[in-house]
Each structure stands twice: as C-alpha cells, then as structure tokens.
Amino acid sequence: MSKNAQTVAPEPPIKIDAMLCFAIYGAAHAFTRTYKPLLEPLGLTYPQYLVMVALWEEDAQTVKALGERLGLDSGTLSPLLKRLEQAGLVARKRNREDERQVNVHLTEQGLTMKAEAASVTANIGKAIGCSLDEAVALRDAVNALKGRLDGAE
Amino acid sequence: MSKNAQTVAPEPPIKIDAMLCFAIYGAAHAFTRTYKPLLEPLGLTYPQYLVMVALWEEDAQTVKALGERLGLDSGTLSPLLKRLEQAGLVARKRNREDERQVNVHLTEQGLTMKAEAASVTANIGKAIGCSLDEAVALRDAVNALKGRLDGAE
DNA sequence: CGCAATTCAATTGCGCACAATCTAATTACG
DNA sequence: CGTAATTAGATTGTGCGCAATTGAATTGCG
C-alpha cells in the first residue's frame, strides 16, 4: 500500500517469481514438517524415506538410478545411503560386471518396513485433505512446472 | 515403461503421498537450480534471495517476522543474516524499546540491488513458461495445500 | 518489589544439497 | 594393444534447515 503513487497500470515485470517460488519453497518445507513426526518411529528422515519409497517401488537400483529418480547427486546420496546401510535397511554391493556401479538393494528389514510405512501414507493422505483427483491435478501441474524449469537451463 | 499391467481399480491406500511429495520436493529443487546461475552475479544464494525479496517488499523487519514469512527459525536465519550483513546488504540493530528484538533493514547497497534483481524476475518468468493466470492458479493450489499441511499438525 | 514464566535471538549438533575434485573402472580410438 | 576420454561413485567444503539448548530481556503475578 505504501507503493509509490505513480505506479504503472500494466506493469509487465510482475512478481511472477516471488509468487510461485515462495509457495513451492514453503510447501516443500511443510511436507517435511508433516512427515517428520510420522517418520520418527521408523527412524527415517524425509529424504531417507523418499529413497526407501523408490526402492519399495523397484528394488536393487544403482546409485545413479536413484539419483535420477530423486534429482540428487552422489554427494548427497553416498552419505545418506551409508546411514541407511548402517541402520540395516539397505545393502550395497559393487556390480561384478562393471565395478564402477554400486547396486543398492533392500535387506529383509528394509522390506519389512514397507508394511509399517503404510500408516505414514494413510496419515499424509489425511493431511493433504483433498480428493485424489485434485491431488493428481496438482501433481501434474507441479511436475509440468518442474519440467519447464529443468528444460530451460 | 515397465509399469505393472494389473493396475488397481479400488486400492484405497493410494500412493497419494508419494505422488505429491516427490513432485513438490523435485519442483523446489528445480527452482533452486534455475535461480542459482541467475543469482550468482549478485552473490546471493536462493534462500538469501528470498530474504532480500521479503525485505524489498517491506523493509525493517524483525528476525521473528522474517522467520514467519519464510517459514524459517532463528537457527537458519541467524547465520544467513550474518552473511548478508557481511556482504553489506543488510544491517541489524537491537530494538531500543525491547532489547530482545533485532531489527533487520536494508543498507543503501541492499536497496540498490533491488533494481539489479529485476532481470532475475524476468528470466524466471520466462523459465516458468506459463501464463500469469496459470501461475496464479498453481500458486493458490500449492498455498492451499501448504495451509492444510500446516493446519493438520 | 521479587521472582517465575515467557519471549526473542543466538548457538550447537546433525543431516541434507550441491559444486568441485578425486579415484577407479570402462570404453573409444588410433 | 595402449593411451585418451568417459563414466560411476566417493570425498571435501560451504550453506541451508531444524531440534534443542542457552542467555538475556521483558512481562506477569502475588
């Protein structure tokens, strides 16, 4: 309101960035905070949970594949996977045919946790508080935005 | 491509969380990566830029007010503000009437930077690659989601 | 007034997130 | 072959992000 009085009428350089970047930034943190207490009983952090979800969807992926799925590089994943390994949830072993690759797979315990994590999904579903259709539409819109941001590098 | 062929019809415990949390998580990082090269000439990180945007909108806020605007606590803001102060962009001084509060305000240099940052906004607008109406709709949807997540604590 | 409770920042510790760098293994090419 | 270029993963350094603690200042209440 205390904007200067001679402001433009059309104003093309709208604050389109401040709008969306604040919103996405805040929503990402809101997700982290919502998940945190639900994941605490499992002893997982939010990024660790995302890795586990990726492995529950498809077991035995390379570090590179996980990185592409989650948009993370080895600098983030290496120590994270080391902690998951120390917790007994995953195991890593080098590919015999290509010794550069490290294959990450679930342990018995890691597979067992999938069932325990079902309640997490249920509770988040409640917290999201909208219909599946709305959630799908929002996901698609956000993913489309992400695609445009990634493509515009 | 290797999706399972026997996809569900009912399945109540849908992966509603995995859908959205992956999307938001990835979009937040995509924003960070898109902004990074644009902010480099200014010597700002993405969170530092968000603090500057908040101060350009309204100068002279307390640490607490900034924290509420951005959803960050003092543990994050204190060192971040210290770096902005060292860069000569903001100054901090304790409130005379209530010595517990620290008021953060822009320096001459910090105010000047607002004009330089205009091109950042323009470039992001291009990278977002959708109409203002779409951006507003998406922002509102994301903010509504964020509100429900925050409210459901 | 005196003292407990509250409030605001700062600090500490741990875990991401990423650029840059490094090592080792594989592939490509002359 | 053998050397260069590429690829996968790990390491290092900087900067968030947050819980928990600390410390100082203010407020509330008898």
Side-chain angles (χ1 to χ4, degrees), chain A residues 47-67:
Chain A
Q48 287 168 8
Y49 169 74
L50 294 183
V51 169
M52 293 301 288
V53 168
L55 287 173
W56 287 327
E57 274 184 13
E58 181 178 344
D59 198 359
Q61 301 187 52
T62 63
V63 174
K64 181 178 181 57
L66 285 171

Side-chain angles (χ1 to χ4, degrees), chain A residues 11-135:
Chain A
E11 183 161 6
I14 293 269
K15 295 183 177 176
I16 193 175
D17 70 324
M19 300 185 331
L20 260 177
C21 72
F22 269 102
I24 298 282
Y25 183 78
H29 292 166
F31 256 115
T32 303
R33 281 191 294 270
T34 304
Y35 270 101
K36 188 178 234 292
L38 300 175
L39 294 176
E40 197 157 328
L42 301 179
L44 292 177
T45 66
Y46 181 60
Q48 287 168 8
Y49 169 74
L50 294 183
V51 169
M52 293 301 288
V53 168
L55 287 173
W56 287 327
E57 274 184 13
E58 181 178 344
D59 198 359
Q61 301 187 52
T62 63
V63 174
K64 181 178 181 57
L66 285 171
E68 283 172 355
R69 177 82 172 94
L70 302 171
L72 300 173
D73 69 359
S74 68
T76 300
L77 281 176
S78 286
L80 187 157
L81 291 170
K82 210 172 278 186
R83 281 184 281 272
L84 286 180
E85 186 172 42
Q86 202 149 19
L89 299 172
V90 308
R92 295 181 296 167
K93 65 168 189 264
R94 295 215 165 256
N95 189 329
R96 292 270 173 267
E97 292 164 14
D98 186 340
E99 293 274 347
R100 293 171 305 181
Q101 299 181 28
V102 171
N103 204 275
V104 181
H105 60 88
L106 294 166
T107 61
E108 192 83 21
Q109 190 186 343
L111 202 53
T112 303
M113 186 179 274
K114 182 176 185 176
E116 305 170 42
S119 66
V120 174
T121 300
N123 279 307
I124 290 293
K126 245 177 274 177
I128 288 175
C130 62
S131 75
L132 183 58
D133 286 348
E134 291 173 296

Side-chain angles (χ1 to χ4, degrees), chain B residues 25 29 33 62-64 74-75 78 82 92 100-102:
Chain B
Y25 182 77
H29 291 166
R33 281 192 293 269
T62 63
V63 174
K64 182 179 178 59
S74 66
S78 287
K82 209 173 280 186
R92 294 180 297 165
R100 290 171 306 181
Q101 299 180 28
V102 171

